[in-house]
Amino acid sequence: MRTNLNIIADHYAASTRQDMAAMMADVAPDVRWTEMAGFPCAGTWVGPEQVTKQVFHALGAEWSSYRFELQELIDAGDRVIALGLYHGTYAKTGKSMQARVAHVWRLEAGKIVQFEQFTDTLLVAQAMS
């Protein structure tokens, strides 16, 4: 049986491959996905369809070479914390950014039920202006 840590590691591996179906494979139908205030796709999105459209498609449309670089995964039982870096170039300005980020995941019965992002939104905003 896959652990919560394995599920999140698999999500990030799928992200690196740009495999959206695999990224969403373990996401619960009623997942609550929160992008931090001040981030380009800020808000809480409910369900895989909203997350895909409002987060991943939006970032892909506005940023070139946008990616998350995983540096560490921390197993906290029903929560998994990921630490890493965002990288990308904002298409409209041509400015690049790199920002530290923490992702907090909550899982129940092998499904991702909650995600919350914490990042330095000033660095992102500077690339966008």
Side-chain angles (χ1 to χ4, degrees):
M1 182 172 164
R2 292 165 58 219
T3 66
N4 289 341
L5 194 70
N6 296 139
I7 290 166
I8 300 307
D10 289 347
H11 171 88
Y12 287 121
S15 176
T16 299
R17 297 188 311 272
Q18 298 183 349
D19 182 348
M20 187 63 64
M23 286 172 63
M24 295 285 121
D26 296 306
V27 173
D30 59 348
V31 67
R32 295 188 56 79
W33 190 286
T34 301
E35 297 285 325
M36 190 165 178
F39 198 69
C41 48
T44 297
W45 311 106
V46 179
E49 285 183 32
Q50 278 194 2
V51 172
T52 299
K53 180 180 178 187
Q54 301 296 334
V55 178
F56 297 114
H57 288 168
L59 291 172
E62 297 176 4
W63 294 82
S64 62
S65 306
Y66 185 87
R67 67 185 174 91
F68 171 75
E69 176 189 340
L70 178 63
Q71 295 179 321
E72 183 176 2
L73 279 179
I74 302 164
D75 187 346
D78 71 340
R79 297 191 195 284
V80 175
I81 295 104
L83 304 175
L85 292 169
Y86 285 143
H87 301 267
T89 302
Y90 191 62
K92 291 180 183 174
T93 64
K95 294 180 186 176
S96 296
M97 66 88 184
Q98 178 177 301
R100 289 284 289 156
V101 61
H103 292 161
V104 179
W105 302 85
R106 190 167 64 81
L107 296 94
E108 291 177 1
K111 290 291 184 187
I112 297 165
V113 297
Q114 187 176 23
F115 167 90
E116 189 168 4
Q117 168 214 57
F118 299 90
T119 192
D120 187 341
T121 57
L122 176 60
L123 295 174
V124 178
Q126 287 173 337
M128 295 174 70
S129 64

